[in-house]
Amino acid sequence: MKRVKITDHFWRKRIDIIRDEVIPYQWEALNDRIPDAPASHAMKNFKIAAGEESGEFFGFVFQDSDVGKWLEAVAYSLENDPDPELEKTADEVIELIGRAQQDDGYLNTYFTIKEPQLKWRNLRDKHEMYVAGHMMEAAVAYFEVTGKRKLLDIMCRFADHIDEMFGKEENKLRGYDGHQEIKLALVKLYKATGNERYLQLSKYFIDERGQQPHYFDLEKKARNDDKEFWWHDEYGDYSYHQAHLPVRDQKEAIGHAVRAMYMYTAMADLAIETGDHTLKEACERLWENVTNRQMYITGGVGSQDFGEAFSFDYDLPNDTCYTETCASIGLVFWAKRMLGIEKNGKYADVMERALYNGTISGMDLDGKKFFYVNPLEVWPKANEKRQDKTHVKPVRQKWYSCACCPPNLARLIASIGQYVYSVDSNQLFVHLYMGNESELDIAGQKVQIIQETNYPWDGNVQITLSPENEREFTVAVRIPGWCKLAALKVNNELVDIDCCTKNGYAYITRTWKKGDKIVLVLPMPVERVRANPKVRENVGKVSLQRGPIVYCLEEVDNGANLPNILLPKDSELEVTFQEELLGGISVITAKAERIDDQAWGNELYMTYEKDTKSITLKAIPYYAWCNRQPGEMLVWIMEK
Amino acid sequence: MKRVKITDHFWRKRIDIIRDEVIPYQWEALNDRIPDAPASHAMKNFKIAAGEESGEFFGFVFQDSDVGKWLEAVAYSLENDPDPELEKTADEVIELIGRAQQDDGYLNTYFTIKEPQLKWRNLRDKHEMYVAGHMMEAAVAYFEVTGKRKLLDIMCRFADHIDEMFGKEENKLRGYDGHQEIKLALVKLYKATGNERYLQLSKYFIDERGQQPHYFDLEKKARNDDKEFWWHDEYGDYSYHQAHLPVRDQKEAIGHAVRAMYMYTAMADLAIETGDHTLKEACERLWENVTNRQMYITGGVGSQDFGEAFSFDYDLPNDTCYTETCASIGLVFWAKRMLGIEKNGKYADVMERALYNGTISGMDLDGKKFFYVNPLEVWPKANEKRQDKTHVKPVRQKWYSCACCPPNLARLIASIGQYVYSVDSNQLFVHLYMGNESELDIAGQKVQIIQETNYPWDGNVQITLSPENEREFTVAVRIPGWCKLAALKVNNELVDIDCCTKNGYAYITRTWKKGDKIVLVLPMPVERVRANPKVRENVGKVSLQRGPIVYCLEEVDNGANLPNILLPKDSELEVTFQEELLGGISVITAKAERIDDQAWGNELYMTYEKDTKSITLKAIPYYAWCNRQPGEMLVWIMEK
């Protein structure tokens, strides 16, 4: 038994927005009922595939996945807030999906309608397994929340079909997925059904990836395709798909960032489920590379537009990054699995960083507009006028024709409760701090847990534990990496935190009884964070961070030309909570200076230094930017 | 009579390199005799067009222009250093060109060989007039140096043909050039021949450009072309060609930078020749925009790869710029014309800035390799790995298939003498300082001028004037904008420089006699130049400049990761001349600091500041970078 009910002021309102705004809006979008938005056609594709409507397939080859992601978000939302009407709609969609499935289990409206003869001919590009993966994730979520097996059965049939098609056996194609989504989905399907074949299929896909002769070359030849693949680097053609080397030989993150995150997530899943040490070590190596060399301070990953991809170590430009919302979401998925491999605060720190910054920045405070790309520096004129910056939108957009980020964020937020705790037999781990009322099985006991906090604005957390019966077990509370002076009490008695802390978790083993209280105090001074000097973009600059929240400057608060603001090293950073601003945020203000560009007049280059003028700088949480007048935004501030 | 013989140690060796390396190399290239280099086919195209060889046209639509530029460089080189054999080769090329000309005067091997039916059907893209312009410039240069009219006559016939084809008259096409090269070439042709029709034709092209209905639209429709033009902005389709508005309505530089420079040059030419005030004002406005808002400190222009183009005011990224060698050369052309409109040191300052930095950086010290793009910051790994930086090559290339920059630089350097002086009836203007022995007509007198200097390494200049007879006239010597404490003597007597200086020129009016000596002392301390704070890239940074020379750091001298070097505000900047280094240069050294990235270890973000270590920074002239081991380069240095 496991139930986490989020009561948190910060996350609960986001869950409500997903329920009240995002899910209904996306339903309208899937049904092409949003005026002025690009058509989705996703529901219509299913109806055509089911033979219930006439017409042509329309949309991307992976259009079906939008329906899968929507269903998955619906499932989590129903867990948070039952809604019979919504459930009925979802059931109907699932019935339709069932009718669109082919007799052999195959399910993909693009190929069913448009190119039936080309099924499984181009795994590299055509996303059949990607779509299957999202449908599987939806199926598992819907089954776990509602107990209904319909979609689960549909997807098991499809998984069985895929398992019959692909593998090392002579009668099978020795292929594997282009986009790695299916790998983690198969592990979920295995865990939901207990069917080992799905785990083995995921393992086969992971093991086979990047082996020679390269399957993508073989299938390319088989379809007489002699076009050069658009991505090519020192590893050849397939590092875009992380298929340039066998996964255990991969040492640095490369290629499309979302694919990478999904694949590393599946690798960690398989390391946990199969105990494969070589996969565990590959995951740890890749984790070090990503988080210590290729990750933005917001938890964003993907430094370049080309291929929506990683570039190379320490290349972290703030204004030309890609940092897709989905990639940060994938980083959260991966971090959760790494915590499954090892309880180490470094994983939870990154998970928290991405959650409070680079993921939720993808949505406006009303849940109506979305960023694909989450830049750390915006100069709207450059995004308008420079071709190499047009991928960065200075304002969130309503709905994208390639609609991956909004539903991905919806499913993440609706399932945020899954990230708070984990239980290892008789150990309860508290990874995240947010208000919730939960019931977990620990050491064979049903334990009620009430977490109360005003996080992320305040670092005081109270956790009340109520086991059914008194029982000895361990509670391990995370001491965030950003916190230098944590204090911990159990039933008002101070715990020596240094003694009991290991790898970022403070372990408290005792006999717990009803109403026992853990109080954690995490002081949150504003910190000036500096980047490793190998990150050229950020030399001489600081980023302001308070608790898990990364701050930024906006033009609406600070005027135009943010890069000419200088923050003196001794300037005090003051914090005030502003209830009415941007949904309630802690604002940072500080005395700062600004190079007086008026004084420069018309000169472009001069040999003497001009005056600065005193200003008061105002910083807001990064995630909340672009919810007022559009304009410039800046995370890394020049220090003086 | 006018003759400037360059004796300067700095420029003379570059002139020699053009003569000994570049011109012979390019001749081999034009004849496809360079192993491993892309074929040019340029000479072969002429032979095929003349009916003397069989085969297909090969190369760009503007391939002929390479021959034109080569001939122009040959002409100037013959002026510097007569060479009967080279002149014979050039004469033969000219004969061939004559044989390739069609009966009606038309001359363009692409259309003659490949698409005769499409002549003049696509002025926007097909470069017919661009090629004509370069041939005209060659014709004028060759005529002026050798007195031979053959090529001049060929090009006059072609100009007559163009004049018959285009104009406002009913029987003519109301078209104009896509690339504006021909506009300035026609003014040269007019000045060489005295034929007013060529001036009027240039004026017609300038006046007609950007008028509605837009000719590029009309011709597009006429050829049933419904493809969208690849460039589009708020002005519509044609700002790439500076044809978005009538030229007199243009207020900011936009579009392809080389085209812009050539057009502004022609506008200034026409303002001078026709006395058109509206053109003069447009030129002045555009000059202010370019030099005060869109010019790099190296005299480079063109901030973006897309369209090799200007972007917008104060957008001057150091690592993604285009700053094409040809664009800086075009800026030199334009500056020279602006000095024709008004003797103002600001024009000569920019001319000098471009000459000593952004133009000659385009060639290595041996004249064997060339940059198209002249970046101000290079991180070779990023140029290799990031799609948005691959246009910046971290090392010079041997020869480009679109070979515009090397021959353009060849003709500029070979004709550098034309930029040193100008004479306005009884006033001699000295714009540039370089050793030369010259003979000019001033106030009806033949005056011998000997200039001696060790510029740009030393600011002492001695000018000895010897008029045939004693005569009163004015000598105006430029006081460079970078110089704050110039001193001036005539025959060892100090001149009150403040009294006699106007707009950057010190005017000395007296009766000059044989052997009179002007001594100008221009102290050259190293200056820390700062950029207008509206240039975001350069906030907190300085560029080192000494005299006209902009400096840079190279990895070979300073180790990798140049952006983490901090130059303290009070650090003394020492200069030593190193005879053996990079052809003899003044080197700047200074005590500086470097953020110790070893101390950071593996951390990507930390809340406290790490130590710096002391280093000695070494800066070399920007133009000389990338003549040793390849590596990083940086112009703008972080100040501490």
Side-chain angles (χ1 to χ4, degrees), chain B residues 421-625:
Chain B
Y421 301 109
S422 69
V423 178
D424 272 11
S425 62
N426 63 344
Q427 295 188 108
L428 167 68
F429 288 89
V430 186
H431 303 299
L432 295 176
Y433 299 110
M434 61 181 74
N436 67 81
E437 293 174 9
S438 303
E439 215 170 78
L440 302 178
D441 285 339
I442 306 165
Q445 283 284 310
K446 196 183 286 184
V447 181
Q448 196 202 48
I449 304 167
I450 296 175
Q451 196 187 132
E452 292 161 285
T453 178
N454 196 26
Y455 209 84
W457 313 122
D458 182 282
N460 295 336
V461 181
Q462 177 175 287
I463 299 168
T464 309
L465 294 158
S466 298
E468 276 185 319
N469 304 297
E470 289 190 18
R471 182 66 59 98
E472 184 179 288
F473 57 91
T474 300
V475 178
V477 295
R478 172 174 156 256
I479 309 300
W482 53 259
C483 186
K484 290 168 186 160
L485 285 166
L488 183 62
K489 287 181 190 175
V490 175
N491 294 337
N492 227 15
E493 249 175 66
L494 211 58
V495 175
D496 182 349
I497 210 164
D498 289 340
C499 288
C500 71
T501 298
K502 191 187 145 200
N503 289 337
Y505 287 85
Y507 289 77
I508 315 160
T509 303
R510 67 197 300 279
T511 300
W512 298 93
K513 58 177 200 310
K514 275 201 175 63
D516 279 348
K517 276 190 174 36
I518 300 172
V519 170
L520 184 63
V521 178
L522 304 169
M524 286 184 174
V526 181
E527 301 279 8
R528 293 174 185 234
V529 183
R530 291 178 181 82
N532 190 309
K534 288 177 180 152
V535 181
R536 288 148 198 254
E537 294 269 332
N538 297 340
V539 171
K541 298 176 185 172
V542 293
S543 163
L544 302 181
Q545 187 174 337
R546 180 172 181 271
I549 300 287
V550 173
Y551 279 73
C552 71
L553 306 181
E554 273 200 295
E555 181 176 340
V556 61
D557 296 315
N558 299 283
N561 201 355
L562 300 174
N564 77 4
I565 292 175
L566 309 175
L567 179 60
K569 289 201 175 165
D570 56 1
S571 233
E572 211 169 303
L573 299 156
E574 285 178 39
V575 178
T576 46
F577 187 77
Q578 298 195 8
E579 186 64 52
E580 319 70 35
L581 186 63
L582 295 166
I585 55 168
S586 288
V587 168
I588 299 172
T589 53
K591 292 262 174 266
E593 293 172 30
R594 169 164 236 151
I595 301 169
D596 191 358
D597 61 18
Q598 297 303 313
W600 268 74
N602 217 19
E603 294 294 320
L604 189 52
Y605 302 107
M606 290 207 285
T607 56
Y608 50 97
E609 210 174 355
K610 276 286 178 185
D611 293 338
T612 57
K613 54 185 178 186
S614 292
I615 58 159
T616 299
L617 157 165
K618 177 175 173 182
I620 62 156
Y622 170 75
Y623 75 77
W625 87 275

Side-chain angles (χ1 to χ4, degrees), chain B residues 163-225:
Chain B
D163 188 43
E164 280 155 23
M165 294 291 299
F166 297 97
K168 290 195 180 178
E169 297 84 348
E170 286 244 325
N171 60 334
K172 295 182 178 182
L173 292 170
R174 202 154 168 168
Y176 49 87
D177 48 296
H179 190 306
Q180 300 95 316
E181 156 67 17
I182 197 172
K183 292 177 160 81
L184 71 91
L186 282 166
V187 178
K188 283 191 175 182
L189 201 61
Y190 153 70
K191 292 211 262 185
T193 62
N195 186 338
E196 280 270 349
R197 282 172 68 198
Y198 305 144
L199 184 68
Q200 289 310 316
L201 183 58
S202 177
K203 179 170 154 37
Y204 158 76
F205 285 147
I206 278 286
D207 290 346
E208 197 62 21
R209 195 169 200 85
Q211 301 290 352
Q212 293 296 341
H214 204 290
Y215 186 76
F216 292 166
D217 287 333
L218 299 178
E219 64 162 13
K220 190 180 169 192
K221 199 168 166 197
R223 63 176 186 266
N224 291 318
D225 174 359

Side-chain angles (χ1 to χ4, degrees), chain A residues 227-345:
Chain A
K227 280 199 291 289
E228 250 188 83
F229 188 58
W230 59 274
W231 173 289
H232 190 89
D233 61 22
E234 72 267 36
Y235 293 111
D237 287 352
Y238 304 123
S239 49
Y240 170 75
H241 306 86
Q242 296 80 38
H244 54 302
L245 288 172
V247 302
R248 290 170 183 80
D249 297 339
Q250 297 188 23
K251 293 181 176 61
E252 51 191 18
I254 196 166
H256 188 264
V258 177
R259 291 165 190 262
M261 292 300 109
Y262 285 14
M263 183 174 91
Y264 306 157
T265 299
M267 286 164 65
D269 267 337
L270 288 167
I272 296 166
E273 298 301 328
T274 69
D276 183 333
H277 273 274
T278 57
L279 272 182
K280 172 176 169 286
E281 283 152 21
C283 285
E284 287 167 349
R285 227 166 30 227
L286 289 163
W287 180 270
E288 289 308 311
N289 177 263
V290 169
T291 61
N292 286 328
R293 300 185 175 208
Q294 299 205 67
M295 183 186 73
Y296 288 86
I297 193 165
T298 54
V301 287
S303 299
Q304 62 177 338
D305 176 37
F306 182 73
E308 307 174 340
F310 287 98
S311 57
F312 60 98
D313 290 358
Y314 302 111
D315 180 48
L316 293 163
N318 295 310
D319 56 347
T320 54
C321 49
Y322 204 75
T323 47
E324 188 178 335
T325 306
C326 287
S328 283
I329 292 170
L331 182 57
V332 172
F333 296 161
W334 185 24
K336 184 177 194 302
R337 270 57 164 204
M338 294 309 287
L339 284 168
I341 292 178
E342 181 199 347
K343 297 298 176 297
N344 190 317

Side-chain angles (χ1 to χ4, degrees), chain B residues 229-445:
Chain B
F229 188 59
W230 59 274
W231 173 289
H232 190 88
D233 61 23
E234 73 267 34
Y235 293 111
D237 287 352
Y238 304 123
S239 49
Y240 170 75
H241 306 86
Q242 295 82 35
H244 54 303
L245 288 172
V247 303
R248 290 170 183 80
D249 297 338
Q250 297 187 24
K251 293 182 174 62
E252 51 192 16
I254 197 167
H256 188 264
V258 177
R259 289 166 191 262
M261 292 300 109
Y262 285 14
M263 183 174 92
Y264 306 156
T265 299
M267 285 164 67
D269 267 337
L270 287 166
I272 297 166
E273 299 302 327
T274 68
D276 183 332
H277 273 274
T278 58
L279 272 182
K280 171 176 171 286
E281 282 150 23
C283 285
E284 287 166 348
R285 227 166 28 227
L286 289 163
W287 180 269
E288 290 307 312
N289 177 262
V290 169
T291 61
N292 286 329
R293 299 184 175 209
Q294 300 204 68
M295 183 186 73
Y296 288 86
I297 194 166
T298 54
V301 288
S303 299
Q304 63 177 336
D305 176 37
F306 183 72
E308 308 174 339
F310 286 98
S311 58
F312 60 99
D313 291 357
Y314 302 111
D315 181 48
L316 294 164
N318 296 311
D319 56 347
T320 54
C321 49
Y322 204 75
T323 44
E324 187 179 335
T325 306
C326 288
S328 283
I329 293 170
L331 182 58
V332 172
F333 295 162
W334 185 23
K336 184 177 194 303
R337 270 56 163 206
M338 293 309 287
L339 284 169
I341 292 178
E342 182 199 346
K343 297 299 176 296
N344 189 318
K346 69 182 179 184
Y347 301 124
D349 285 346
V350 167
M351 184 166 84
E352 185 182 72
R353 183 180 287 288
L355 275 175
Y356 282 94
N357 302 289
T359 62
I360 57 171
S361 60
M363 187 171 83
D364 72 356
L365 297 177
D366 299 330
K368 292 184 174 168
K369 291 183 176 172
F370 300 88
F371 278 133
Y372 235 71
V373 170
N374 296 273
L376 282 79
E377 179 171 348
V378 163
W379 184 13
K381 205 164 180 182
N383 304 127
E384 179 200 334
K385 299 228 173 193
R386 285 188 69 90
Q387 189 78 0
D388 54 8
K389 291 186 180 172
T390 48
H391 66 287
V392 177
K393 305 293 174 213
V395 292
R396 291 181 186 84
Q397 313 285 306
K398 264 170 81 172
W399 182 261
Y400 290 86
S401 53
C402 173
C404 68
C405 297
N408 217 350
L409 200 50
R411 67 174 178 145
L412 175 75
I413 291 172
S415 64
I416 190 70
Q418 298 184 3
Y419 298 84
V420 180
Y421 301 109
S422 69
V423 178
D424 272 11
S425 62
N426 63 344
Q427 295 188 108
L428 167 68
F429 288 89
V430 186
H431 303 299
L432 295 176
Y433 299 110
M434 61 181 74
N436 67 81
E437 293 174 9
S438 303
E439 215 170 78
L440 302 178
D441 285 339
I442 306 165
Q445 283 284 310

Side-chain angles (χ1 to χ4, degrees), chain B residues 41-246:
Chain B
H41 213 259
M43 290 307 299
K44 196 157 171 111
N45 288 336
F46 275 100
K47 288 173 194 161
I48 296 166
E52 295 164 13
E53 284 198 21
S54 61
E56 290 302 311
F57 177 91
F58 174 86
F60 290 95
V61 71
F62 47 79
Q63 206 73 1
D64 292 359
S65 67
D66 284 357
V67 177
K69 289 181 200 168
W70 181 79
L71 278 172
E72 191 184 352
V74 166
Y76 301 134
S77 185
L78 291 175
E79 184 174 27
N80 296 320
D81 304 289
D83 176 343
E85 202 183 328
L86 178 62
E87 188 167 334
K88 183 161 167 281
T89 303
D91 287 340
E92 286 165 7
V93 172
I94 290 166
E95 291 294 331
L96 172 62
I97 292 169
R99 296 195 299 275
Q101 185 168 36
Q102 296 192 231
D103 290 341
D104 60 2
Y106 186 85
L107 179 62
N108 184 302
T109 70
Y110 175 85
F111 285 98
T112 299
I113 300 171
K114 200 168 176 179
E115 298 194 297
Q117 75 287 4
L118 295 181
K119 283 193 272 189
W120 307 126
R121 298 278 310 272
N122 184 350
L123 300 184
R124 187 189 72 188
D125 303 328
K126 294 296 190 185
H127 284 75
E128 282 156 294
M129 293 197 199
Y130 167 83
V131 173
H134 275 300
M135 289 288 188
M136 288 174 193
E137 288 201 85
V140 171
Y142 205 73
F143 165 68
E144 288 182 343
V145 171
T146 66
K148 294 178 184 171
R149 294 195 61 96
K150 175 80 192 187
L151 188 57
L152 192 69
D153 290 341
I154 291 168
M155 292 317 299
C156 286
R157 279 184 64 207
F158 192 16
D160 294 342
H161 174 73
I162 294 170
D163 188 43
E164 280 155 23
M165 294 291 299
F166 297 97
K168 290 195 180 178
E169 297 84 348
E170 286 244 325
N171 60 334
K172 295 182 178 182
L173 292 170
R174 202 154 168 168
Y176 49 87
D177 48 296
H179 190 306
Q180 300 95 316
E181 156 67 17
I182 197 172
K183 292 177 160 81
L184 71 91
L186 282 166
V187 178
K188 283 191 175 182
L189 201 61
Y190 153 70
K191 292 211 262 185
T193 62
N195 186 338
E196 280 270 349
R197 282 172 68 198
Y198 305 144
L199 184 68
Q200 289 310 316
L201 183 58
S202 177
K203 179 170 154 37
Y204 158 76
F205 285 147
I206 278 286
D207 290 346
E208 197 62 21
R209 195 169 200 85
Q211 301 290 352
Q212 293 296 341
H214 204 290
Y215 186 76
F216 292 166
D217 287 333
L218 299 178
E219 64 162 13
K220 190 180 169 192
K221 199 168 166 197
R223 63 176 186 266
N224 291 318
D225 174 359
D226 55 8
K227 281 200 291 288
E228 251 188 82
F229 188 59
W230 59 274
W231 173 289
H232 190 88
D233 61 23
E234 73 267 34
Y235 293 111
D237 287 352
Y238 304 123
S239 49
Y240 170 75
H241 306 86
Q242 295 82 35
H244 54 303
L245 288 172

